[in-house]
Amino acid sequence: MNENPIEVLLTQPVPEAIDARLVSAYRVHRLYQHSNPQQLLDEAGPRIRGVVTGGAKGLSNELMEQLPALEIIAISGIGTDAVDLRHAASRGIHVTTTPGVLTADVADLAMGLIIGTLRRLGEGERLVRDGLWGKVDQPLARKVSGIELGIVGLGEVGKAIARRAAAFDMRVAYNGRREQPETGYRFEADLVALARSVDVLVVAAAADGGQVLVTAEVLDALGPEGYLVNVARGKLVDEDALVEALREQRIAGAGLDVFVDEPHVPPALRDLNQVVLQPHRGSATLQTRLEMGQMVLSNLAACFRGEVPPNCA
């Protein structure tokens, strides 16, 4: 390492192989491990030139302002909603993402949540683990093949979900910013109308706008035999309305990988049998995280060479 290495801040862990390459190239400060994060920022903040973070965690303006030498915020993920892009641009800070590589994993998890929720796999596993098989009644599940599937946001992830749905003979409809007739899927401009017409509503939209999409009205339209799956961002769903709809059985169930205030999950969601929960693991496979990490490394290196990084948001 150089005598005066470039200093980089990590807000969360990265795969070991990527971590090792960061350490070999830069002086790395680990905000997530420090017993006194503010002390770290006070001491090292003026020298930090790069931040590596996740899409959900991002980087607040408050923290950004404590890094006067910052040149790049390298997001391992595709979401930029947790970074104020205008504020970063006003300071000449590059914000980069890792597009493309996590699409398949997120779509796979969406299908897993659809199957797990409708077939009540979580309940079945708990029943077996608790030694209750044969001792208590097992409720019948919902057939997965042939359902009507609604997708909120037909971007790359939404399209990948739709392609997988075809293997299950699902009929796909979608809601988004624009109609995409070339896909062959049914477009529904009104999200309430889409919810009313499908068995499962999957949220796969970008959260850059930050507004709630799945409201109490949408949940009511989904109805007592409908299911919600969210692999996008928790804040796209009115979480309080979702809890009430599940409690009152106004919808049949939910499969959730994302939440409003991660890692905090409302206790009511943890207590409901008809809900399948995951800890925001849409892209959490070793293969994909290594590929994402490589893109982060490439974005950092380009920036510090004085170039525009290849994956600017």
Side-chain angles (χ1 to χ4, degrees), residues 56-151:
K57 184 174 290 292
L59 192 74
S60 68
N61 285 352
E62 180 183 5
L63 206 160
M64 207 184 304
E65 287 307 301
Q66 297 183 68
L67 309 174
L70 188 61
E71 300 173 31
I72 180 172
I73 302 167
I75 297 172
S76 183
I78 56 174
T80 59
D81 51 296
V83 175
D84 186 335
L85 295 179
R86 289 187 178 179
H87 185 66
S90 73
R91 288 189 44 192
I93 298 169
H94 297 295
V95 179
T96 63
T97 60
T98 58
V101 297
L102 56 104
T103 299
D105 274 352
V106 177
D108 288 350
L109 184 65
M111 295 304 297
L113 285 171
I114 292 170
I115 296 169
T117 305
L118 272 63
R119 293 301 304 268
R120 308 180 78 144
L121 297 186
E123 290 179 72
E125 183 184 25
R126 289 190 293 273
L127 185 144
V128 173
R129 288 184 181 276
D130 293 344
L132 298 176
W133 188 8
K135 300 177 182 177
V136 299
D137 292 335
Q138 299 180 46
L140 292 177
R142 171 69 162 86
K143 184 177 180 180
V144 174
S145 296
I147 63 171
E148 302 282 347
L149 181 69
I151 301 175

Coordinates of all heavy atoms in Angstrom, one line a residue, residues 56-151:
A56 N -30.1 0.2 0.2 CA -31.1 0.5 1.2 C -30.5 1.5 2.3 O -31.2 2.3 2.8 CB -31.6 -0.8 1.9
K57 N -29.2 1.3 2.6 CA -28.6 2.1 3.6 C -28.2 3.5 3.0 O -28.5 4.5 3.6 CB -27.3 1.5 4.2 CG -26.7 2.3 5.3 CD -25.5 1.5 5.9 CE -26.0 0.3 6.7 NZ -26.7 0.7 7.9
G58 N -27.6 3.5 1.8 CA -27.3 4.8 1.2 C -26.3 5.6 2.0 O -25.5 5.1 2.7
L59 N -26.5 6.9 1.9 CA -25.7 7.9 2.7 C -26.5 9.1 2.9 O -26.9 9.8 1.9 CB -24.4 8.2 1.9 CG -23.3 8.9 2.7 CD1 -22.6 7.9 3.7 CD2 -22.3 9.5 1.8
S60 N -26.7 9.5 4.2 CA -27.5 10.6 4.5 C -26.7 11.9 4.2 O -25.5 11.9 4.1 CB -27.9 10.6 6.0 OG -26.8 10.8 6.8
N61 N -27.5 13.0 4.0 CA -26.8 14.3 3.8 C -26.0 14.7 5.0 O -25.0 15.3 4.9 CB -27.9 15.4 3.5 CG -28.4 15.3 2.1 OD1 -27.9 14.5 1.3 ND2 -29.5 16.0 1.8
E62 N -26.5 14.4 6.2 CA -25.8 14.7 7.4 C -24.4 14.0 7.4 O -23.5 14.7 7.8 CB -26.7 14.2 8.6 CG -26.0 14.5 9.9 CD -26.8 14.0 11.1 OE1 -27.8 13.3 10.9 OE2 -26.4 14.2 12.3
L63 N -24.4 12.8 7.0 CA -23.1 12.1 7.0 C -22.2 12.6 5.9 O -21.0 12.8 6.0 CB -23.3 10.6 6.9 CG -22.3 9.7 7.5 CD1 -22.8 8.3 7.7 CD2 -21.1 9.6 6.5
M64 N -22.9 12.9 4.7 CA -22.1 13.4 3.6 C -21.4 14.7 3.9 O -20.3 14.9 3.5 CB -23.1 13.6 2.4 CG -22.5 13.5 1.1 SD -23.6 13.9 -0.3 CE -24.9 12.7 0.0
E65 N -22.1 15.5 4.7 CA -21.5 16.8 5.1 C -20.3 16.7 6.0 O -19.5 17.6 6.1 CB -22.5 17.7 5.7 CG -23.6 18.2 4.8 CD -22.9 18.9 3.6 OE1 -22.2 19.9 3.8 OE2 -23.1 18.5 2.4
Q66 N -20.1 15.5 6.6 CA -18.9 15.3 7.5 C -17.8 14.7 6.7 O -16.7 14.4 7.3 CB -19.3 14.4 8.6 CG -20.4 14.9 9.5 CD -20.7 14.0 10.7 OE1 -19.8 13.8 11.6 NE2 -21.9 13.4 10.7
L67 N -17.9 14.6 5.4 CA -16.9 14.1 4.5 C -16.5 15.1 3.4 O -16.9 15.0 2.3 CB -17.4 12.8 3.9 CG -17.9 11.7 4.8 CD1 -18.5 10.5 4.1 CD2 -16.9 11.3 5.8
P68 N -15.8 16.1 3.8 CA -15.6 17.2 2.8 C -14.7 16.9 1.6 O -14.8 17.5 0.6 CB -14.8 18.3 3.7 CG -14.2 17.5 4.8 CD -15.2 16.4 5.1
A69 N -13.9 15.8 1.7 CA -13.1 15.4 0.6 C -13.8 14.3 -0.3 O -13.1 13.7 -1.2 CB -11.8 14.8 1.1
L70 N -15.0 14.0 0.0 CA -15.7 12.9 -0.7 C -15.8 13.1 -2.2 O -16.2 14.2 -2.6 CB -17.1 12.7 -0.1 CG -17.9 11.4 -0.5 CD1 -17.1 10.2 -0.2 CD2 -19.3 11.4 0.1
E71 N -15.4 12.1 -3.0 CA -15.5 12.1 -4.4 C -16.5 11.1 -5.0 O -17.0 11.3 -6.1 CB -14.1 11.8 -5.0 CG -13.0 12.8 -4.6 CD -11.7 12.3 -5.1 OE1 -11.6 11.6 -6.2 OE2 -10.7 12.6 -4.4
I72 N -16.8 10.0 -4.3 CA -17.7 9.0 -4.8 C -18.4 8.3 -3.7 O -17.9 8.0 -2.7 CB -16.9 8.0 -5.7 CG1 -17.8 6.9 -6.3 CG2 -15.7 7.4 -4.9 CD1 -17.1 6.0 -7.3
I73 N -19.7 8.0 -4.0 CA -20.5 7.1 -3.2 C -20.8 5.9 -4.1 O -21.6 6.0 -5.0 CB -21.8 7.8 -2.7 CG1 -21.6 9.1 -2.0 CG2 -22.7 6.8 -1.9 CD1 -22.8 10.0 -1.8
A74 N -20.2 4.8 -3.8 CA -20.3 3.6 -4.6 C -21.3 2.7 -3.9 O -21.0 2.1 -2.9 CB -18.9 2.9 -4.7
I75 N -22.5 2.6 -4.5 CA -23.6 1.8 -4.0 C -23.5 0.4 -4.5 O -23.4 0.2 -5.8 CB -24.9 2.4 -4.4 CG1 -25.1 3.8 -3.7 CG2 -26.1 1.5 -4.0 CD1 -26.3 4.5 -4.2
S76 N -23.5 -0.6 -3.6 CA -23.6 -2.0 -4.1 C -25.1 -2.4 -4.1 O -25.7 -2.8 -3.2 CB -22.8 -2.9 -3.1 OG -22.9 -4.2 -3.5
G77 N -25.7 -2.1 -5.3 CA -27.1 -2.3 -5.5 C -27.5 -1.4 -6.6 O -26.7 -0.7 -7.2
I78 N -28.9 -1.3 -6.8 CA -29.4 -0.5 -7.9 C -30.2 0.7 -7.5 O -30.5 1.6 -8.2 CB -30.2 -1.4 -8.9 CG1 -31.3 -2.1 -8.2 CG2 -29.3 -2.3 -9.7 CD1 -32.3 -2.8 -9.2
G79 N -30.6 0.7 -6.2 CA -31.4 1.7 -5.7 C -30.6 2.9 -5.3 O -29.6 2.8 -4.6
T80 N -31.1 4.1 -5.6 CA -30.4 5.4 -5.2 C -31.3 6.2 -4.3 O -31.0 7.4 -4.1 CB -30.0 6.2 -6.5 OG1 -31.2 6.5 -7.2 CG2 -29.1 5.4 -7.4
D81 N -32.4 5.6 -3.9 CA -33.4 6.4 -3.1 C -32.9 6.8 -1.8 O -33.4 7.8 -1.1 CB -34.7 5.6 -2.9 CG -34.5 4.2 -2.4 OD1 -33.8 3.4 -3.1 OD2 -34.9 3.9 -1.3
A82 N -31.8 6.2 -1.3 CA -31.3 6.5 0.1 C -30.1 7.5 0.0 O -29.4 7.7 0.9 CB -30.9 5.3 0.8
V83 N -29.9 8.1 -1.2 CA -28.9 9.1 -1.4 C -29.6 10.3 -2.1 O -30.3 10.1 -3.1 CB -27.7 8.6 -2.3 CG1 -26.7 9.7 -2.6 CG2 -27.0 7.4 -1.6
D84 N -29.3 11.5 -1.6 CA -29.8 12.7 -2.2 C -28.9 13.0 -3.4 O -27.9 13.6 -3.3 CB -29.8 13.8 -1.2 CG -30.4 15.1 -1.7 OD1 -30.5 15.3 -2.9 OD2 -30.9 15.9 -0.8
L85 N -29.4 12.6 -4.6 CA -28.6 12.7 -5.8 C -28.3 14.2 -6.1 O -27.2 14.6 -6.6 CB -29.3 12.1 -7.0 CG -29.4 10.5 -6.9 CD1 -30.1 10.0 -8.1 CD2 -28.1 9.9 -6.7
R86 N -29.3 15.1 -5.9 CA -29.1 16.5 -6.2 C -28.0 17.1 -5.3 O -27.1 17.9 -5.7 CB -30.4 17.3 -6.1 CG -31.4 17.0 -7.1 CD -32.6 17.9 -7.0 NE -33.6 17.7 -8.1 CZ -34.7 18.3 -8.2 NH1 -35.0 19.3 -7.3 NH2 -35.5 18.0 -9.2
H87 N -28.1 16.7 -4.0 CA -27.1 17.2 -3.1 C -25.7 16.7 -3.4 O -24.7 17.5 -3.4 CB -27.4 16.8 -1.7 CG -26.6 17.4 -0.6 ND1 -26.5 18.8 -0.4 CD2 -25.7 16.8 0.2 CE1 -25.6 19.0 0.6 NE2 -25.1 17.9 1.0
A88 N -25.6 15.4 -3.8 CA -24.3 14.9 -4.2 C -23.8 15.6 -5.4 O -22.6 16.0 -5.5 CB -24.4 13.4 -4.4
A89 N -24.6 15.8 -6.4 CA -24.2 16.5 -7.6 C -23.8 17.9 -7.4 O -22.8 18.4 -8.0 CB -25.4 16.5 -8.6
S90 N -24.4 18.6 -6.4 CA -24.0 20.0 -6.1 C -22.6 20.0 -5.6 O -22.0 21.1 -5.6 CB -25.0 20.6 -5.1 OG -24.8 20.0 -3.8
R91 N -22.1 18.9 -5.0 CA -20.8 18.9 -4.5 C -19.8 18.2 -5.4 O -18.6 18.0 -5.1 CB -20.8 18.2 -3.1 CG -21.4 19.0 -2.0 CD -21.2 18.3 -0.7 NE -19.8 17.8 -0.5 CZ -19.4 17.0 0.4 NH1 -20.3 16.6 1.3 NH2 -18.1 16.6 0.5
G92 N -20.3 17.8 -6.6 CA -19.4 17.1 -7.6 C -19.1 15.7 -7.2 O -18.1 15.2 -7.6
I93 N -20.0 15.1 -6.4 CA -19.7 13.7 -5.9 C -20.4 12.7 -6.9 O -21.6 12.8 -7.2 CB -20.3 13.5 -4.5 CG1 -19.5 14.4 -3.5 CG2 -20.1 12.0 -4.1 CD1 -20.2 14.5 -2.1
H94 N -19.6 11.7 -7.4 CA -20.2 10.7 -8.2 C -21.0 9.7 -7.3 O -20.6 9.4 -6.2 CB -19.1 9.9 -8.9 CG -18.3 10.6 -9.9 ND1 -18.8 11.2 -11.0 CD2 -16.9 11.0 -9.8 CE1 -17.8 11.8 -11.7 NE2 -16.7 11.7 -11.0
V95 N -22.2 9.3 -7.8 CA -23.0 8.2 -7.2 C -23.1 7.1 -8.2 O -23.6 7.3 -9.3 CB -24.3 8.7 -6.7 CG1 -25.1 7.6 -6.1 CG2 -24.2 9.9 -5.8
T96 N -22.6 5.9 -7.8 CA -22.6 4.8 -8.8 C -23.4 3.6 -8.2 O -23.6 3.5 -7.0 CB -21.1 4.3 -9.0 OG1 -20.5 3.9 -7.8 CG2 -20.3 5.5 -9.6
T97 N -23.8 2.8 -9.1 CA -24.6 1.6 -8.7 C -24.0 0.4 -9.4 O -23.0 0.5 -10.1 CB -26.1 1.8 -9.1 OG1 -26.2 2.0 -10.5 CG2 -26.7 3.0 -8.4
T98 N -24.7 -0.8 -9.2 CA -24.2 -2.0 -9.8 C -25.4 -2.6 -10.6 O -26.0 -3.6 -10.3 CB -23.7 -3.0 -8.8 OG1 -24.8 -3.3 -7.8 CG2 -22.5 -2.4 -8.0
P99 N -25.7 -2.0 -11.8 CA -26.9 -2.4 -12.5 C -26.7 -3.8 -13.2 O -25.6 -4.2 -13.6 CB -27.1 -1.3 -13.5 CG -25.7 -0.8 -13.8 CD -25.0 -0.9 -12.4
G100 N -27.9 -4.5 -13.4 CA -27.9 -5.7 -14.2 C -27.6 -7.0 -13.5 O -28.3 -8.0 -13.7
V101 N -26.6 -6.9 -12.6 CA -26.1 -8.2 -12.1 C -27.0 -8.9 -11.1 O -27.0 -10.1 -10.8 CB -24.7 -8.1 -11.5 CG1 -23.7 -7.7 -12.5 CG2 -24.7 -7.1 -10.3
L102 N -27.9 -8.1 -10.4 CA -28.7 -8.7 -9.4 C -30.2 -9.0 -9.8 O -31.0 -9.5 -9.0 CB -28.8 -7.8 -8.1 CG -29.2 -6.3 -8.3 CD1 -30.6 -6.2 -7.8 CD2 -28.3 -5.4 -7.6
T103 N -30.5 -8.7 -11.1 CA -31.8 -8.9 -11.6 C -32.3 -10.3 -11.4 O -33.4 -10.6 -10.9 CB -31.9 -8.5 -13.1 OG1 -31.6 -7.2 -13.2 CG2 -33.3 -8.8 -13.6
A104 N -31.5 -11.3 -11.8 CA -31.9 -12.7 -11.7 C -32.2 -13.1 -10.2 O -33.2 -13.8 -10.0 CB -30.9 -13.6 -12.3
D105 N -31.3 -12.8 -9.3 CA -31.5 -13.1 -7.9 C -32.8 -12.6 -7.3 O -33.5 -13.3 -6.6 CB -30.3 -12.7 -7.1 CG -29.1 -13.7 -7.1 OD1 -29.3 -14.8 -7.7 OD2 -28.1 -13.3 -6.6
V106 N -33.0 -11.3 -7.6 CA -34.2 -10.7 -7.0 C -35.5 -11.3 -7.6 O -36.5 -11.6 -6.9 CB -34.2 -9.2 -7.3 CG1 -35.5 -8.5 -6.8 CG2 -33.0 -8.5 -6.6
A107 N -35.5 -11.6 -8.9 CA -36.6 -12.3 -9.6 C -36.8 -13.7 -9.0 O -37.9 -14.1 -8.8 CB -36.4 -12.3 -11.1
D108 N -35.7 -14.4 -8.8 CA -35.8 -15.7 -8.2 C -36.4 -15.7 -6.8 O -37.3 -16.5 -6.5 CB -34.4 -16.4 -8.1 CG -33.8 -16.8 -9.4 OD1 -34.5 -16.8 -10.4 OD2 -32.6 -17.1 -9.4
L109 N -36.0 -14.7 -6.0 CA -36.6 -14.6 -4.7 C -38.0 -14.2 -4.7 O -38.8 -14.7 -3.9 CB -35.8 -13.6 -3.8 CG -36.3 -13.5 -2.4 CD1 -36.0 -14.7 -1.6 CD2 -35.6 -12.3 -1.7
A110 N -38.4 -13.4 -5.7 CA -39.8 -13.0 -5.8 C -40.7 -14.3 -6.1 O -41.7 -14.5 -5.5 CB -40.0 -12.0 -6.9
M111 N -40.2 -15.2 -7.0 CA -40.9 -16.4 -7.2 C -40.9 -17.3 -6.0 O -41.9 -18.0 -5.7 CB -40.2 -17.1 -8.4 CG -40.4 -16.4 -9.7 SD -42.1 -16.0 -10.2 CE -42.8 -17.6 -10.3
G112 N -39.8 -17.3 -5.3 CA -39.7 -18.1 -4.0 C -40.7 -17.6 -3.0 O -41.4 -18.4 -2.3
L113 N -40.9 -16.3 -2.9 CA -41.9 -15.7 -2.0 C -43.3 -16.0 -2.4 O -44.2 -16.3 -1.6 CB -41.7 -14.2 -1.8 CG -40.4 -13.8 -1.0 CD1 -40.2 -12.3 -1.1 CD2 -40.6 -14.3 0.5
I114 N -43.5 -16.0 -3.7 CA -44.9 -16.3 -4.2 C -45.2 -17.8 -3.8 O -46.3 -18.1 -3.3 CB -44.9 -16.2 -5.7 CG1 -44.9 -14.7 -6.1 CG2 -46.2 -16.8 -6.3 CD1 -44.7 -14.4 -7.6
I115 N -44.3 -18.7 -4.1 CA -44.5 -20.1 -3.8 C -44.6 -20.3 -2.3 O -45.5 -21.0 -1.8 CB -43.4 -21.0 -4.4 CG1 -43.4 -20.9 -6.0 CG2 -43.6 -22.4 -4.0 CD1 -42.2 -21.5 -6.6
G116 N -43.7 -19.7 -1.6 CA -43.6 -19.9 -0.1 C -44.9 -19.4 0.6 O -45.4 -20.0 1.5
T117 N -45.4 -18.3 0.1 CA -46.6 -17.7 0.7 C -47.8 -18.4 0.4 O -48.6 -18.8 1.2 CB -46.7 -16.2 0.3 OG1 -45.5 -15.5 0.6 CG2 -47.8 -15.5 1.1
L118 N -48.0 -18.7 -0.9 CA -49.3 -19.3 -1.3 C -49.3 -20.8 -0.9 O -50.4 -21.3 -0.5 CB -49.4 -19.3 -2.9 CG -50.1 -18.0 -3.4 CD1 -49.3 -16.8 -3.1 CD2 -50.4 -18.2 -4.9
R119 N -48.2 -21.5 -0.9 CA -48.2 -22.9 -0.4 C -47.9 -23.0 1.1 O -47.8 -24.1 1.6 CB -47.1 -23.7 -1.2 CG -47.4 -23.8 -2.7 CD -48.8 -24.6 -2.9 NE -48.8 -25.9 -2.3 CZ -48.4 -27.0 -2.8 NH1 -48.0 -27.0 -4.1 NH2 -48.5 -28.1 -2.2
R120 N -47.8 -21.9 1.8 CA -47.7 -21.9 3.3 C -46.5 -22.7 3.7 O -46.6 -23.5 4.7 CB -49.0 -22.3 3.9 CG -50.2 -21.6 3.4 CD -51.5 -22.0 4.0 NE -51.7 -21.4 5.3 CZ -52.9 -21.1 5.8 NH1 -54.0 -21.2 5.1 NH2 -53.0 -20.6 7.0
L121 N -45.4 -22.5 3.1 CA -44.2 -23.3 3.4 C -43.7 -23.0 4.8 O -43.2 -23.9 5.4 CB -43.1 -23.1 2.3 CG -43.5 -23.5 0.9 CD1 -42.3 -23.4 0.0 CD2 -44.0 -25.0 0.8
G122 N -43.7 -21.7 5.1 CA -43.2 -21.4 6.5 C -44.0 -22.0 7.6 O -43.4 -22.6 8.5
E123 N -45.3 -22.1 7.4 CA -46.2 -22.7 8.4 C -45.9 -24.2 8.5 O -45.8 -24.8 9.6 CB -47.6 -22.5 8.1 CG -48.1 -21.1 8.3 CD -49.6 -21.0 7.9 OE1 -50.4 -21.5 8.7 OE2 -49.9 -20.4 6.8
G124 N -45.7 -24.8 7.3 CA -45.4 -26.2 7.3 C -44.1 -26.6 7.9 O -44.0 -27.6 8.6
E125 N -43.1 -25.8 7.7 CA -41.8 -26.0 8.3 C -41.9 -25.9 9.8 O -41.3 -26.8 10.5 CB -40.7 -25.1 7.7 CG -39.4 -25.4 8.3 CD -38.3 -24.4 7.9 OE1 -38.7 -23.2 7.5 OE2 -37.1 -24.7 7.9
R126 N -42.5 -24.9 10.3 CA -42.7 -24.7 11.7 C -43.4 -25.9 12.4 O -43.0 -26.4 13.4 CB -43.4 -23.4 12.1 CG -42.5 -22.2 11.8 CD -43.1 -20.9 12.3 NE -44.3 -20.6 11.7 CZ -44.4 -19.8 10.6 NH1 -43.3 -19.4 10.0 NH2 -45.6 -19.5 10.0
L127 N -44.4 -26.4 11.7 CA -45.2 -27.5 12.2 C -44.3 -28.8 12.3 O -44.3 -29.5 13.3 CB -46.4 -27.8 11.2 CG -47.4 -28.9 11.6 CD1 -48.8 -28.4 11.2 CD2 -47.0 -30.2 11.0
V128 N -43.5 -29.0 11.3 CA -42.6 -30.2 11.3 C -41.5 -30.0 12.4 O -41.2 -30.9 13.2 CB -41.9 -30.4 10.0 CG1 -40.8 -31.5 10.1 CG2 -43.0 -30.8 8.9
R129 N -40.9 -28.8 12.5 CA -39.8 -28.5 13.5 C -40.4 -28.6 14.9 O -39.6 -29.0 15.8 CB -39.2 -27.2 13.2 CG -38.3 -27.1 12.0 CD -37.7 -25.7 11.9 NE -36.9 -25.6 10.7 CZ -35.6 -26.1 10.6 NH1 -35.0 -26.6 11.6 NH2 -34.9 -25.9 9.4
D130 N -41.6 -28.2 15.1 CA -42.2 -28.2 16.4 C -42.8 -29.6 16.8 O -43.4 -29.8 17.9 CB -43.3 -27.2 16.6 CG -42.7 -25.7 16.5 OD1 -41.5 -25.6 16.6 OD2 -43.5 -24.8 16.2
G131 N -42.6 -30.6 16.0 CA -43.1 -31.9 16.3 C -44.6 -32.1 16.3 O -45.2 -32.9 16.9
L132 N -45.3 -31.2 15.5 CA -46.8 -31.2 15.5 C -47.4 -31.9 14.3 O -48.6 -31.9 14.1 CB -47.2 -29.7 15.6 CG -46.8 -29.0 16.8 CD1 -47.3 -27.5 16.7 CD2 -47.4 -29.6 18.1
W133 N -46.5 -32.4 13.4 CA -47.0 -33.1 12.2 C -47.9 -34.3 12.7 O -47.4 -35.1 13.4 CB -45.9 -33.5 11.3 CG -46.3 -34.1 10.0 CD1 -47.5 -34.1 9.4 CD2 -45.4 -34.7 9.1 NE1 -47.5 -34.7 8.2 CE2 -46.2 -35.1 7.9 CE3 -44.0 -35.0 9.1 CZ2 -45.6 -35.7 6.8 CZ3 -43.5 -35.6 8.0 CH2 -44.3 -36.0 6.9
G134 N -49.1 -34.4 12.2 CA -50.0 -35.5 12.6 C -50.7 -35.2 13.9 O -51.6 -36.0 14.3
K135 N -50.4 -34.1 14.5 CA -51.1 -33.8 15.8 C -52.0 -32.6 15.7 O -52.9 -32.4 16.6 CB -50.0 -33.5 16.9 CG -49.1 -34.6 17.1 CD -48.0 -34.3 18.1 CE -47.0 -35.4 18.4 NZ -45.9 -35.0 19.3
V136 N -51.9 -31.8 14.7 CA -52.7 -30.6 14.5 C -53.2 -30.6 13.1 O -52.6 -31.2 12.2 CB -52.0 -29.3 14.9 CG1 -51.6 -29.3 16.3 CG2 -50.8 -29.1 13.9
D137 N -54.3 -30.0 12.8 CA -54.8 -29.8 11.5 C -53.9 -28.9 10.6 O -53.4 -27.9 11.1 CB -56.2 -29.3 11.5 CG -57.2 -30.2 12.1 OD1 -57.0 -31.4 12.0 OD2 -58.3 -29.7 12.6
Q138 N -53.7 -29.3 9.4 CA -52.9 -28.5 8.5 C -53.9 -27.8 7.5 O -54.6 -28.5 6.7 CB -51.9 -29.4 7.7 CG -50.9 -30.1 8.6 CD -50.0 -30.9 7.8 OE1 -49.4 -30.5 6.8 NE2 -49.7 -32.1 8.3
P139 N -53.9 -26.5 7.5 CA -54.8 -25.8 6.5 C -54.3 -26.0 5.1 O -53.1 -26.1 4.8 CB -54.6 -24.3 6.9 CG -53.3 -24.2 7.6 CD -53.1 -25.5 8.3
L140 N -55.3 -26.1 4.2 CA -54.9 -26.2 2.8 C -54.3 -24.9 2.3 O -54.7 -23.8 2.7 CB -56.2 -26.6 2.0 CG -56.8 -28.0 2.3 CD1 -58.0 -28.2 1.5 CD2 -55.7 -29.1 1.9
A141 N -53.4 -25.1 1.3 CA -52.7 -24.0 0.7 C -53.4 -23.5 -0.6 O -54.5 -24.0 -0.9 CB -51.3 -24.3 0.4
R142 N -52.8 -22.5 -1.2 CA -53.4 -22.0 -2.5 C -52.5 -22.5 -3.6 O -51.3 -22.4 -3.6 CB -53.3 -20.4 -2.4 CG -53.6 -19.7 -3.7 CD -55.1 -19.9 -4.1 NE -55.5 -18.9 -5.1 CZ -55.4 -19.0 -6.4 NH1 -54.9 -20.1 -6.9 NH2 -55.9 -18.1 -7.2
K143 N -53.1 -23.0 -4.7 CA -52.4 -23.4 -5.9 C -51.7 -22.2 -6.5 O -52.2 -21.1 -6.6 CB -53.4 -24.0 -6.9 CG -52.7 -24.6 -8.1 CD -53.8 -25.3 -9.0 CE -53.1 -25.9 -10.2 NZ -54.1 -26.5 -11.1
V144 N -50.4 -22.5 -6.9 CA -49.6 -21.5 -7.5 C -49.8 -21.4 -9.0 O -49.9 -20.3 -9.6 CB -48.1 -21.7 -7.1 CG1 -47.2 -20.7 -7.9 CG2 -47.9 -21.6 -5.6
S145 N -49.7 -22.5 -9.7 CA -49.7 -22.6 -11.2 C -51.1 -22.0 -11.7 O -52.1 -22.3 -11.1 CB -49.6 -24.0 -11.7 OG -48.3 -24.5 -11.3
G146 N -51.0 -21.2 -12.7 CA -52.2 -20.7 -13.4 C -52.8 -19.5 -12.8 O -53.9 -19.0 -13.2
I147 N -52.1 -18.9 -11.8 CA -52.7 -17.7 -11.1 C -52.6 -16.4 -12.0 O -51.8 -16.4 -13.0 CB -52.0 -17.4 -9.8 CG1 -50.5 -17.0 -10.0 CG2 -52.2 -18.5 -8.8 CD1 -49.8 -16.5 -8.8
E148 N -53.3 -15.4 -11.7 CA -53.2 -14.1 -12.3 C -52.2 -13.3 -11.5 O -52.4 -13.1 -10.3 CB -54.6 -13.4 -12.3 CG -55.7 -14.1 -12.9 CD -55.6 -14.0 -14.5 OE1 -54.9 -13.1 -15.0 OE2 -56.4 -14.8 -15.1
L149 N -51.1 -12.9 -12.1 CA -50.0 -12.2 -11.5 C -49.9 -10.8 -11.9 O -49.9 -10.5 -13.1 CB -48.7 -12.9 -11.8 CG -47.4 -12.3 -11.1 CD1 -47.5 -12.5 -9.6 CD2 -46.2 -12.9 -11.7
G150 N -50.0 -9.9 -10.9 CA -49.8 -8.5 -11.2 C -48.4 -8.0 -10.8 O -48.0 -8.3 -9.7
I151 N -47.7 -7.3 -11.6 CA -46.4 -6.8 -11.3 C -46.4 -5.2 -11.3 O -46.9 -4.6 -12.3 CB -45.4 -7.3 -12.3 CG1 -45.3 -8.8 -12.4 CG2 -44.0 -6.7 -12.0 CD1 -44.4 -9.4 -13.4

